Amino acid sequence: MKFWLGASFVPTDQFAELARAAERCGFDTLTLSDHLFYAEFGSKYPYSTSGKPRWNAETHWPDVWVTIGAMSAVTSTLRFAPNVYIAPARDLITVAKQVSTAAVLSNDRVSFGVGVGWCEEEFAATGQDFHTRGRRLDAMLPVLRELWAGQAVTLDGLPALTISPTPRERVPVLVGGDSEAALKRAARAGDGWIGNRIYTEEQLDGVLTALRGHLDEHGRTGPFEIIAPLAVMPDADTYRHFAAKGVTGTLAAPWWLATPEEKAEHGEGSLALKIATMERFAEEVIAKM
């Protein structure tokens, strides 16, 4: 079982030290989320009962790839991934260049967590069609792989083009989302799947059953990552139970389960609290796996 650190909602100036601590504590990957701006969205947020986002205008959403570049400079083994990057809200070449550069700067420690997104306003702001986002992502993924491999591609009548720099190793693509379309996309075009919400065992069992069916349909028999945020209390035996079901990794943000004593000692929201709870998680869970 791999442990990913879920670092959404973290203030931007904490990321570098948080990455150092994550590497020291034995986390495999640090992941952060992708949003472009805050507004009074008309789009319904799919992960709350109210349909409203759980954040406000003051919540930090730093650029994913700039932040990964900064964190990679102060670490040596920790991996990085967005959960998830809304690639079809951008043009293909911009996405290819950002990911490729981050992969090179990090010495191939980047995974590409990608999804179609839910916020129509962000697509409008970048001039991309919200309603064709799924089809466009399907078309983007094979071209991105070709560009990252240093191959020449032809787009919309342009001369054959390449990008540089390109990573030395294949960038793993993990498709996010638990809609039927997302699960089919993961099985068809991904190296794995990553969940976008916290799953109970019953919910996850449904996802795993659907994923296995789609993987079988496409003749996929090799390794396939399943990264699932789990609605369980941190415990090594519990994580072993999910590993036996085929889950290869989970997301954790230990400071969300900080004790009142830890909050009183370090201050709620502080970097010190995050690091203290990560160290406890590493001792009580990671070290026992």
Side-chain angles (χ1 to χ4, degrees), residues 47-105:
Y47 305 118
S48 71
T49 55
S50 68
K52 298 293 184 183
R54 299 190 300 260
W55 59 90
N56 57 36
E58 285 70 48
T59 304
H60 285 207
W61 297 104
D63 179 85
V64 167
W65 303 108
V66 172
T67 308
I68 286 174
M71 292 188 293
S72 72
V74 297
T75 55
S76 58
T77 59
L78 184 69
R79 294 187 61 82
F80 304 98
N83 184 27
V84 289
Y85 192 64
I86 310 306
R90 285 86 170 182
D91 67 274
L92 183 146
I93 294 298
T94 296
V95 175
K97 193 75 168 180
Q98 289 176 319
V99 178
S100 183
T101 302
V104 170
L105 288 173

Side-chain angles (χ1 to χ4, degrees), residues 239-280:
Y239 290 126
R240 290 190 194 100
H241 169 72
F242 282 96
K245 288 174 173 277
V247 177
T248 61
T250 188
L251 246 66
W255 51 89
W256 292 108
L257 297 175
T259 66
E261 292 77 16
E262 287 172 325
K263 292 177 182 179
E265 179 179 358
H266 300 291
E268 193 161 2
S270 70
L271 177 62
L273 177 67
K274 293 180 177 68
I275 292 175
T277 54
M278 289 163 59
E279 291 173 343
R280 178 164 59 83

Side-chain angles (χ1 to χ4, degrees), residues 88 116 129-139 185 188:
V116 298
D129 185 357
F130 178 77
H131 300 288
T132 61
R133 67 197 190 282
R135 293 196 298 275
R136 289 189 294 106
L137 179 57
D138 288 340
R185 182 175 296 114
R188 181 179 64 251

Side-chain angles (χ1 to χ4, degrees), residues 8-9 32-39 41 43-47 52-56 59-65 67 82-86 89-90 116-123 125-126 196:
S8 298
F9 310 109
L32 62 165
S33 297
D34 172 38
H35 280 293
L36 291 170
F37 55 81
Y38 180 82
F41 297 118
S43 301
K44 183 179 179 181
Y45 179 63
Y47 305 118
K52 298 293 184 183
R54 299 190 300 260
W55 59 90
N56 57 36
T59 304
H60 285 207
W61 297 104
D63 179 85
V64 167
W65 303 108
T67 308
N83 184 27
V84 289
Y85 192 64
I86 310 306
R90 285 86 170 182
V116 298
W118 57 271
C119 183
E120 187 169 355
E121 289 86 347
E122 290 185 326
F123 283 75
T126 58
N196 296 122

